[in-house]
Amino acid sequence: MNGLAWLQNIWHQGKQRFNPHSLQFQLTVGIALVSAVGISSLTAVIAWQLDRLIVTSHKRQVASLAKRVMETVEIYSQMMPTPAAMEKAIAHLTTGDILIWIESPDGEVVAMSEALAMGNWERKVLEIADQGVSPTPQMYAINQGYWLLCGNTLEIQQQDWGTVYLAYDMTGDQRMFYRLIGMLGGVSVVAIGGMTIAIAYYIQTALKPLQQMRQQTAALSAEQLGKEALALTNAPSELHQLETAFNQMLKRFHESWEQQRQFVSNVSHELRTPLTLVCGYLQSTLRRGQNLSEPQQEALSIAASEAKRTVQMLEDLLELARAENRHLHFRQEPLLLNDFVVEVVDMAKQYSQRTIEFKPEQSLVEVIADRDRLKQVLLNLIDNAVKYSEPEQPITIIVEQDSNRGIIKVCDRGFGIPLAQQSRIFERFYRLDDARCRTTGGIGLGLSLVQTLVAGMDGTVSVRSQLGEGSTFIVTLPSLDS
């Protein structure tokens, strides 16, 4: 199992590093491809020029030797008969790489190098010559070898004695050239690989400021807009300009956020008192409304219910505003969760008319918390579970102890929360389903208030949920021992 987890971790890291859509991958591959094309093209040009230089040099050497053969034959012919002069000149100029022979005008070979006379495989060059060769040396592939052949008219004392042929074996030079090209290609591949690694490292280093920017922006929250600012290290001037513009934007966001919070706080405060009076008058009228008709009583009942809901919303907004302005005070005290949760469950059963099961820890769980704030948290979570589960499904409250933390779990068997939305349900005014929230009366403040209150008691709140199986909200608080 550990081996499988290790392989999965390696695979995940590889996918992140070699993500084809990442800027680092695209820049590395692009520059590496351009470098590879450039080095390959340079290698090809060098190989072509070198091959051309070798062949041209040998062609000049063969042409010069062919001319020298004719001059030598003419010199020897002044001292001996012409056929003997031909043999003498050929024997004098033939080497291991050079074959020379002379054909008479009627096509008969009258003189040749010893290798040809011995009938070695080089006689195949005679077959090529019989098909006609150019006076200018040309390359031919013979028996997996490479030969330069040329044929020139032999005139001695202005008399045509036939054609002198010269063949030069450049197989060794060509094979050495191909080995050199192979080595050059290998060096090019190593150079391309080394450049790719160097380019990848350089680009990774160059993109580190962007990674810093991503990490810092990911850690920002609405409460930190006015306190935090991007600070990039070892970044180019363009990214410093982006850093400055981004920090200015954060400042404007912070100012706008502060104005919005102040507006919400002021409006909530100004509306709470008159709405509370309206709610009181409506309830008083309902209690003394014996002379009212049934439609009038129903209308007043709806108005009183909506007024009460609006007052509760304003109370929640004011609580959040106090917490953000650090005006919300907590009276932390030792609290025995086993007894406290029983009290809250009994209270919740009275107003919800639902089955609420309590599963306490066998041992006593004592935490440090604010009694009133914790009661508000649990009632909010129970109310949330009641709203988003079927009436016949029970709500379960679990109390546990985990090292130096006390844990309270509120479990329902309701609709569940999609995984993509679980990270947002604690945001203010965020609602999963507007249609469902209208029927349940939720406005998206309850869980945000829960998170604020729990954080004020040095605790945490989280959720585990699966569609169709329900949700579990987990509140952890510091224990008395910690």
Side-chain angles (χ1 to χ4, degrees), residues 26 39 69 78 150 163 187 215 314:
Q26 292 177 357
I39 293 177
V69 168
Q78 295 175 2
C150 67
T163 306
V187 171
Q215 293 169 353
L314 293 175

Side-chain angles (χ1 to χ4, degrees), residues 13 77 120 173 194 202 249 255-256 274 309 335 393 414 419 458:
Q13 290 180 356
S77 64
N120 292 342
D173 294 338
Y202 176 77
M249 181 183 67
E255 293 172 354
S256 175
R309 188 174 73 89
L335 195 63
Q393 297 291 343
L419 181 62
D458 298 324

Side-chain angles (χ1 to χ4, degrees), residues 92-201:
H92 177 69
L93 297 175
T94 298
T95 63
D97 297 331
I98 297 174
L99 299 176
I100 305 171
W101 70 97
I102 298 174
E103 289 185 0
S104 64
D106 56 4
E108 181 182 357
V109 178
V110 295
M112 66 178 66
S113 299
E114 183 179 355
L116 289 172
M118 294 173 63
N120 292 342
W121 64 269
E122 285 88 347
R123 291 184 64 87
K124 290 186 176 291
V125 299
L126 297 176
E127 300 174 6
I128 301 294
D130 290 340
Q131 298 173 9
V133 295
S134 170
T136 304
Q138 300 295 329
M139 182 180 290
Y140 297 89
I142 303 173
N143 284 357
Q144 299 181 349
Y146 301 93
W147 292 76
L148 285 175
L149 273 70
C150 67
N152 293 280
T153 302
L154 179 61
E155 292 185 359
I156 300 174
Q157 297 177 0
Q158 297 182 351
Q159 182 180 354
D160 184 6
W161 284 85
T163 306
V164 58
Y165 293 94
L166 192 144
Y168 175 69
D169 183 7
M170 57 178 300
T171 303
D173 294 338
Q174 281 296 108
R175 288 177 179 171
M176 185 181 296
F177 167 72
Y178 290 144
R179 285 196 296 269
L180 179 62
I181 293 303
M183 292 174 59
L184 188 60
V187 171
S188 299
V189 170
V190 172
I192 291 172
M195 288 182 61
T196 302
I197 295 174
I199 290 168
Y201 176 77

Side-chain angles (χ1 to χ4, degrees), residues 235-273:
S237 57
E238 292 82 359
L239 285 182
H240 279 304
Q241 294 173 1
L242 178 62
E243 171 193 351
T244 301
F246 192 87
N247 287 334
Q248 292 175 351
M249 181 183 67
L250 286 181
K251 183 179 179 181
R252 290 194 295 270
F253 278 162
H254 173 64
E255 293 172 354
S256 175
W257 177 256
E258 287 297 323
Q259 291 173 1
Q260 178 185 352
R261 290 200 304 183
Q262 189 64 38
F263 173 77
V264 170
S265 177
N266 292 340
V267 169
S268 302
H269 188 272
E270 293 297 328
L271 290 179
R272 183 182 59 170
T273 301

Side-chain angles (χ1 to χ4, degrees), residues 230-447:
L230 289 184
L232 303 180
T233 57
N234 300 324
S237 57
E238 292 82 359
L239 285 182
H240 279 304
Q241 294 173 1
L242 178 62
E243 171 193 351
T244 301
F246 192 87
N247 287 334
Q248 292 175 351
M249 181 183 67
L250 286 181
K251 183 179 179 181
R252 290 194 295 270
F253 278 162
H254 173 64
E255 293 172 354
S256 175
W257 177 256
E258 287 297 323
Q259 291 173 1
Q260 178 185 352
R261 290 200 304 183
Q262 189 64 38
F263 173 77
V264 170
S265 177
N266 292 340
V267 169
S268 302
H269 188 272
E270 293 297 328
L271 290 179
R272 183 182 59 170
T273 301
L275 279 174
T276 302
L277 291 174
V278 169
C279 185
Y281 283 129
L282 288 172
Q283 292 175 350
S284 176
T285 303
L286 278 173
R287 286 193 298 269
R288 295 178 300 179
Q290 294 84 1
N291 298 328
L292 297 175
S293 64
E294 185 175 344
Q296 290 174 330
Q297 289 182 352
E298 182 179 358
L300 282 174
S301 177
I302 293 173
S305 175
E306 290 300 312
K308 183 179 180 181
R309 188 174 73 89
T310 304
V311 170
Q312 183 59 49
M313 179 188 70
L314 293 175
E315 291 286 352
D316 290 345
L317 282 173
L318 284 173
E319 289 280 296
L320 288 171
R322 293 190 192 102
E324 289 168 353
N325 294 326
R326 302 185 183 278
H327 295 156
L328 191 62
H329 301 291
F330 292 86
R331 293 179 298 173
Q332 299 284 78
E333 58 181 331
L335 195 63
L336 188 62
L337 285 184
N338 307 65
D339 297 337
F340 175 77
V341 174
V342 170
E343 177 185 338
V344 175
V345 168
D346 291 340
M347 185 185 304
K349 285 180 180 178
Q350 294 177 6
Y351 76 80
S352 66
Q353 303 299 318
R354 288 284 296 273
T355 301
I356 302 177
E357 301 174 350
F358 175 48
K359 297 181 179 180
E361 179 84 357
Q362 293 183 353
S363 60
L364 298 179
V365 180
E366 197 168 9
V367 298
I368 298 295
D370 184 312
R371 172 180 289 271
D372 294 333
R373 303 298 183 190
L374 185 57
K375 183 182 296 184
Q376 188 177 359
V377 165
L378 293 181
L379 290 176
N380 260 312
L381 291 178
I382 294 173
D383 182 61
N384 194 70
V386 168
K387 288 178 180 177
Y388 294 102
S389 62
E390 298 296 337
E392 66 275 7
Q393 297 291 343
I395 309 299
T396 304
I397 314 296
I398 302 172
V399 172
E400 296 176 349
Q401 178 83 38
D402 181 17
S403 63
N404 59 346
R405 309 288 287 180
I407 300 174
I408 306 173
K409 296 181 179 179
V410 180
C411 312
D412 66 65
R413 301 174 190 173
F415 312 110
I417 304 170
L419 181 62
Q421 297 180 340
Q422 290 180 20
S423 61
R424 299 194 59 194
I425 60 173
F426 294 104
E427 295 179 9
R428 192 182 306 181
F429 297 112
Y430 184 78
R431 299 187 293 183
L432 297 177
D433 186 339
D434 286 341
R436 189 183 300 161
C437 287
R438 280 194 293 270
T439 60
T440 58
I443 60 172
L445 282 177
L447 291 179

